[in-house]
Amino acid sequence: MSDLRKEAASMHKAASGLRAVGHHTAKPLQEFKAAAHDLDALGALGSLMHAKSQVREGMDTLVKLTKQLDEEWQGEAKLMGEVSDAFDLLDLLLAAAQKKG
């Protein structure tokens, strides 16, 4: 197996792992988002209302950031897959050129 083929296989495996992240985080992220809007455990006292609002905002921000990270990882996975495919093609072309020459 050539170095290019090894690199392509490694990149393909890494890209597959990145693509799967969203599948593993979707349910916990949904539950976390739902919990951000159910902060009754903090109580309804006036002094806690501000804290409750800040906690909710922080949790909403974490949800948004997690979604952005997932989108970024999906983009990186796509690019890694394309580079892996290019390495596979280059490896085939090099092998064909060796057979010719």
Side-chain angles (χ1 to χ4, degrees), residues 34-101:
H37 298 284
D38 185 25
L39 298 174
D40 293 335
L42 293 178
L45 297 175
S47 61
L48 291 177
M49 290 303 289
H50 183 67
K52 186 176 178 179
S53 174
Q54 286 181 325
V55 169
R56 181 178 293 120
E57 285 178 29
M59 292 175 77
D60 286 342
T61 299
L62 286 172
V63 167
K64 289 175 188 174
L65 289 173
T66 302
K67 287 181 180 179
Q68 288 173 350
L69 273 174
D70 185 51
E71 289 172 7
E72 184 177 328
W73 290 333
Q74 294 304 316
E76 288 181 20
K78 181 180 178 200
L79 178 63
M80 290 172 73
E82 290 171 356
V83 171
S84 173
D85 291 345
F87 280 176
D88 282 337
L89 180 59
L90 181 58
D91 188 54
L92 289 172
L93 292 172
L94 289 172
Q98 277 183 338
K99 286 181 183 177
K100 261 187 161 180

Side-chain angles (χ1 to χ4, degrees), residues 9-44:
S10 176
M11 292 184 83
H12 179 73
K13 184 176 179 182
S16 294
L18 279 176
R19 283 186 198 101
V21 169
H23 299 294
H24 297 294
T25 60
K27 185 178 178 185
L29 185 61
Q30 181 182 18
E31 291 171 354
F32 186 79
K33 187 175 182 178
H37 298 284
D38 185 25
L39 298 174
D40 293 335
L42 293 178

